[in-house]
Amino acid sequence: MVRKMVAALGILALAGCAPLPPQPDADGRTAAQAGILSLGTQQPDRLEAITVRLDLPAAAAGSVLSFPENWGPEERLSQLRRDTATRGLERLPGDEEAYRVAPGGGWIAYTVAQDYDGEPDWETHRLPGTRVRTAESHAFLLGQTFLPQWSQGGVPLTLDLQSLPQRAAFSFAASDCATGCALDDLANSVLALGDFAFDTSQAGDTTVRSAIRGSFAMDAEAMSGVLAGMLDQGAQRFDDAPFASYLFAVNPIPAPPQGSAVVGTGLHRSFLLLASENADEERLRHTIAHEIVHEWITRRMGPTDEATDAQRMWFTEGATEYFAWKLQLAAGLIDTQDFLAGMSDLANAYLASPVRELPAGELAERIFESEEAQRLPYQRGALLAWHWDMLARARGAALDAVIADLIDENAGQELTDAQIRAAMARRIGGQFDSDLARHVVRGKALDPEALTLPACVMATRQPSGTVRFAVRDGIPADTCRMEILGPA
């Protein structure tokens, strides 16, 4: 996910923006208990600058709005905002830009515009696409990069998008916030404006909205099909179907100097795909699948402590990676051979990793040090998750049930490591604790041939030293598919 990526490099100068027009009196608007988030454009039919306004009622008195300088790979976010105007907000001392809301409420308004010329590039931004992008014909913004944080959750906010062009998509529709939404959820959203291809389709009971800009190996219909299949299987296997509506947004990023790039970021009831247009279909499909699984691991369970997240990535990313493969198989998006090839690739990348024996504590400190360190929790965690799924199956359960348990038991409260481990041990048995201590905490190398596998699957070491998972001779692939999946 984006929050785990390496920080961005150099930043270019901000182009000047015209000042905001005088703000109307907010006394009438702040009398209600709910606040208002309003988004618009500075000039009609031009998207170089987006206006943002927060009207805050008296109920927000004493709370603090703060604008962090960093988020995920992005730094110096204050360069994106200009022409700030306030009423009823006290600027607090300190390096961080923060405001306390006065007893009668108040408002803050500002303009957002990109702070570099032209398209993003890898040399300057390292991860092009997450920083605010505003141009004459389109704009693309992640909420975490332009909206403030609110102490204690603030008050509910209604959403006013009437000043935006009709060709726009936000993770929330205005009607979603008719009785108010949390600023945290609105910030965990994406805004796409202008020359995107916008569409709406139905995936079971879920209304799927899409905003796609660029030309990719998968079209909007194919991407929606992956989304629909993953949502359906996740709902069945985790006994949880929470989505009345869902948005996926796709924005092109420049191809890196060598190869292609696909980056997925899970957001609130939505996900963002940043991809170079030379990325292949398999990579696009798998990244979409992985991000959809994050709706359950861990968003539907509850938030985790982000400051220590690297220490539990064996679960948050490793189990997610395993279920991305398993749910694709269940949805018919891949076949048995594809699944086993994917797990073989994970095992071989793990075996070839120079950091495969990093203990959890050291890995947490070095997670951004290299691509190998960043990928280790995915590889190690996914292989262990497959192994644990089979152990749970032998006890009449499945790893699917662990996910369902954590969703039901935690009900959106903060998810702790103790809760994760207790839920795993309950379904898997005593070997879970010893496996975790041995292979994650202490970093002892896994032997893929020693994993507990479905009876229809064999692991063989190749002359090159790599491992290949394959269906045993004489067993039909469809029979093995059902054994790999287990009951839904």
Side-chain angles (χ1 to χ4, degrees), residues 387-398 427-428 452:
H387 164 74
W388 287 331
D389 195 4
M390 296 305 106
L391 291 179
R393 204 86 60 79
R395 291 165 54 91
R427 296 290 188 175
I428 296 164
T452 305

Side-chain angles (χ1 to χ4, degrees), residues 228-316:
M230 295 297 292
L231 288 176
D232 176 65
Q233 287 301 315
Q236 288 187 48
R237 292 190 166 271
F238 305 143
D239 194 24
D240 181 72
F243 310 113
S245 65
Y246 199 89
L247 169 72
F248 73 92
V250 186
N251 198 50
I253 57 177
Q258 295 180 341
S260 62
V262 181
V263 178
T265 304
L267 304 166
H268 185 81
R269 295 194 319 191
S270 59
F271 77 86
L272 161 66
L273 195 68
L274 300 171
S276 57
E277 292 179 299
N278 64 339
D280 62 37
E281 180 176 350
E282 180 182 355
R283 193 170 180 190
L284 291 166
R285 183 190 65 238
H286 185 77
T287 305
I288 294 170
H290 182 99
E291 294 308 321
I292 295 300
V293 176
H294 273 309
E295 291 294 345
W296 289 279
I297 310 173
T298 64
R299 269 189 295 279
R300 287 290 290 169
M301 298 172 183
T304 59
D305 176 18
E306 188 166 340
T308 60
D309 189 60
Q311 297 179 25
R312 69 187 65 86
M313 284 174 66
W314 62 269
F315 176 74
T316 58

Side-chain angles (χ1 to χ4, degrees), residues 140-218:
F140 189 74
L141 301 85
L142 282 166
Q144 299 281 9
T145 62
F146 75 95
L147 290 173
Q149 295 176 354
W150 205 339
S151 69
Q152 303 169 344
V155 298
L157 298 172
T158 59
L159 191 59
D160 181 358
L161 306 179
Q162 295 182 22
S163 298
L164 289 175
Q166 289 186 350
R167 296 180 61 78
F170 197 52
S171 293
F172 289 81
S175 59
D176 292 337
C177 298
T179 58
C181 288
L183 179 57
D184 282 353
D185 288 338
L186 291 164
N188 193 31
S189 301
V190 62
L191 175 65
L193 298 166
D195 61 3
F196 287 77
F198 298 96
D199 194 18
T200 301
S201 60
Q202 203 67 25
D205 294 330
T206 302
T207 300
V208 177
R209 295 175 295 133
S210 61
I212 301 176
R213 181 171 166 264
S215 178
F216 301 95
M218 297 179 73

Side-chain angles (χ1 to χ4, degrees), residues 67-86:
F67 289 88
E69 276 290 279
N70 306 320
W71 175 76
E74 299 298 350
E75 298 177 321
R76 300 167 67 187
L77 295 177
S78 59
Q79 293 189 160
L80 302 172
R81 290 180 285 106
R82 288 294 169 92
D83 307 315
T84 300
T86 66

